[in-house]
Structures are given as C-alpha cells and as structure tokens.
Amino acid sequence: MSWELVERLRQRFPEIEPFPRERGPGEATQPPASASAGAPPAGPAPPTRLPPKREEAKAAVFLTPGAWVPRERLLEICRFAATDPAFGMDYLSFVTGVDFPEQGQMEVVYHLFSMARRHELLLKVRVPRDDPRVPTVTPIWGGANWHEREAYDLLGIIFEGHPNLRRIMMTEDWAGHPLRKDYVFEDPPWLVELATQRQREIEGLGLGERA
C-alpha cells in the first residue's frame, strides 16, 4: 500500500522524484525473443582465455517507499501527508541528514508513519552543502524539535523557523559538526584552557611535563 501512496503523492505534486524500487515478482525480465523454443539445450561453453565477466554493481533501490521532494514544497507536502485521510501520517519517527561532500550536497531525511493505517513514507530533500537550509516541520509534528536540533548540531543543517535551534549533544562552543565527512576535531576553548591550567599545576609541583 505504501508504494501506492508514493504514486498518489506524485499525482498531487508532479515535481517529486519517487525512489527507485525493487522489481516485483511479476516484473521479472523475460528471456530474449530470438531464442528458439524448440532448440536443443546449449552445451558447455568452449574454453576461453578471457577473464571472467565482471559483475556490475546493482543500481540502488529503496525498500521503504518514498520520494525526493523540492525544498520549496517541503512544508506543503508534509502538511498534505499529515492531514490527507489517505495518508494520515500523524507520527514523525525521525529527522536526520546524510552528507555527500563529493557531490556538494546533503540530504535531509524524514520518516513518516501512520498509526491508524500502519503504513510508512520516507521523504528526502536535497540541499547544497554550503547552504543546507530547510524550513522546520515542528508546526506539523512537534516531535521534530529535538530531531532537527540533533541534525543541526551534528551536520550543520539549518531548520528555518525552529523555536530553539541550538546544539543538543555537543557544547555550545564546539567547533564544527562531527557527522560531516570532512570533519576535523578541534579542541574547544574550555578544554584548551583546562589543559593549560593543569599543565601549570603539574609544573608548579615539580613533576615535569605531563606524560
């Protein structure tokens, strides 16, 4: 049922991009039409000195139904998913982000669930990595509050309109965002000051430099 929701969502918002999905049992690839029905079974392949054929990696598919949605339509689409009776997405289980530095972008991820209908929907928004901004969805799902703060803290994603957008795991003076793939740790000022003070105390006791 959930993949049918994606199609309904696309009919309402044609600009969304549904996720690629796995091929169903009835959609299996048919054998080539040129094969003769009455031909005898082929024998073993003749010996060859060619290297074995390389297996190409499969294209990515999604097990959870969903779609990429435009940033400027995010709130409208989320309100529709939450209030339309066919969707009834009354529960936002998480908001997170994925960093793609080689592509210069991030994805903001929203997992929606309907308690009454027992179906789920995944929405993703692509944003430029140097300006990762999306509107907050806290007016629709209050539980997004801390999830958005975590994504801001660890990835630097800005949720515009959030009622209290500040760090939730790292200290306020922390440098950078630890889940970015190019993150380099820097000691926060308070830790540098504490270490310096401790070193002075050790030297004052005549214990030499700290090992």
Side-chain angles (χ1 to χ4, degrees):
M1 175 58 186
S2 292
W3 282 108
E4 295 177 12
L5 289 180
V6 177
E7 179 58 26
R8 288 191 183 187
L9 193 66
R10 190 188 64 82
Q11 292 174 2
R12 176 65 174 79
F13 302 95
E15 61 271 36
I16 74 168
E17 180 184 346
F19 296 157
R21 55 180 293 191
E22 284 191 319
R23 196 180 288 269
E27 301 173 332
T29 303
Q30 299 298 322
S34 59
S36 300
T48 176
R49 300 184 63 180
L50 295 176
K53 185 177 180 180
R54 185 179 64 182
E55 294 292 335
E56 298 292 340
K58 293 183 179 179
V61 295
F62 288 74
L63 300 179
T64 303
W68 288 279
V69 303
R71 174 168 55 176
E72 61 274 10
R73 302 297 299 275
L74 174 64
L75 282 183
E76 184 181 357
I77 291 172
C78 285
R79 287 195 184 98
F80 177 80
T83 58
D84 186 273
F87 287 77
M89 298 296 176
D90 54 352
Y91 178 56
L92 174 67
S93 63
F94 69 80
V95 180
T96 188
V98 185
D99 186 22
F100 297 99
E102 65 282 356
Q103 300 175 19
Q105 70 177 15
M106 290 184 172
E107 287 183 349
V108 191
V109 185
Y110 303 82
H111 182 261
L112 314 179
F113 187 77
S114 171
M115 292 293 188
R117 296 185 173 272
R118 314 303 294 178
H119 54 212
E120 62 183 339
L121 186 67
L122 197 66
L123 301 179
K124 290 188 176 188
V125 182
R126 297 184 178 108
V127 294
R129 196 170 185 268
D130 57 357
D131 186 28
R133 296 175 179 270
V134 292
T136 180
V137 296
T138 51
I140 304 171
W141 299 288
N145 191 315
W146 283 15
H147 292 278
E148 291 182 346
R149 285 180 59 188
E150 182 181 19
Y152 161 71
D153 190 1
L154 301 181
L155 286 160
I157 299 170
I158 305 297
F159 295 89
E160 297 177 323
H162 190 283
N164 185 26
L165 191 62
R166 58 189 177 89
R167 291 190 183 270
I168 192 171
M169 300 179 71
M170 317 308 291
T171 58
E172 289 293 339
D173 59 351
W174 197 269
H177 304 281
L179 286 189
R180 287 199 174 209
K181 293 180 180 177
D182 58 357
Y183 171 73
V184 177
F185 172 76
E186 297 180 22
D187 288 328
W190 65 267
L191 185 57
V192 174
E193 182 179 351
L194 181 63
T196 303
Q197 179 182 349
R198 179 59 176 159
Q199 186 64 42
R200 292 197 189 106
E201 292 173 353
I202 291 173
E203 293 172 351
L205 294 174
L207 300 178
E209 292 189 1
R210 181 175 52 179

